[in-house]
Amino acid sequence: MTRPPPMAKIRTPPIYTTPTDAATAFYQAFEARDLDAMMATWAEDEDIVCVHPGGTRLVGYAAVRQGWEQLFGGDNHLSFRLEQVVVIETVGLAMQSLVEYITVGKDGNARGTAVCTNVLLRTPVGWRMVMHHASPTPAAPLAEAVGPLH
Amino acid sequence: MTRPPPMAKIRTPPIYTTPTDAATAFYQAFEARDLDAMMATWAEDEDIVCVHPGGTRLVGYAAVRQGWEQLFGGDNHLSFRLEQVVVIETVGLAMQSLVEYITVGKDGNARGTAVCTNVLLRTPVGWRMVMHHASPTPAAPLAEAVGPLH
């Protein structure tokens, strides 16, 4: 008796029809630490850019993927509450600015706050991430706005 | 004998015909600490966003202007060398990612390095800034990419 061949584990990349759909999938993949799902939200392009808080800039699909792989290999299960979302959308490119309130672990201990810029591009296979730039931010108001560099 | 009335000091806002022109004017105004020239590079919109390194997020024309006014009121004359520029442009919106090498004063002492995302919008009066997000970045490579928050 012959068995059927094992099913190949093939994921058809989803097509995100709006920038918001792609960004939602991005954060779902982030929380799930799902590398394939995460990279399915990014454009397969040499000009994609990812900046994790306090980190160097990663440019290109391979470097961006390696950054997420490294991040998901750690112990921390992060969760995000996204607030104060500002959106500018055009037919081909969209920008989202938001504040990420980050908690860690099952108890939801506060981890910190990041300000984040996401840029999404309309590609032939739907909207995809081309930029994620997150940096730590204080909770303080305008008086703290000028940091040590500028 | 009557004198002609004193010329009113009116600046006609320049029209930037490319995203690069607007970004160049942005950094020229930054180095010159010229608040009016700086704000002429921004869209007059409630959805513009500016994040100075280590600072909170400023949203809206008034808050963004106040941030630059505060910055230019300080003692530091900064200069920028922009490198590793990555650009994604569409007909209506453009994204620039770059590394800012910042020096201070006439002697050009190194101040630090920032990674920066600029987003520019094509408006009826030319290309304008809608987002500036700068954050300190280490000079180190990928191993340092995962910061304390993520």
Side-chain angles (χ1 to χ4, degrees), chain B residues 77 79 102-111:
Chain B
H77 286 68
S79 297
I102 306 168
T103 54
V104 61
K106 291 181 179 174
D107 299 333
N109 296 317
R111 170 84 162 200

Side-chain angles (χ1 to χ4, degrees), chain B residues 121-145:
Chain B
L121 177 71
R122 190 182 180 190
T123 79
V125 290
W127 286 87
R128 296 287 185 99
M129 296 282 295
V130 289
M131 154 68 74
H132 172 71
H133 182 175
S135 60
T137 188
L142 185 61
E144 303 290 333

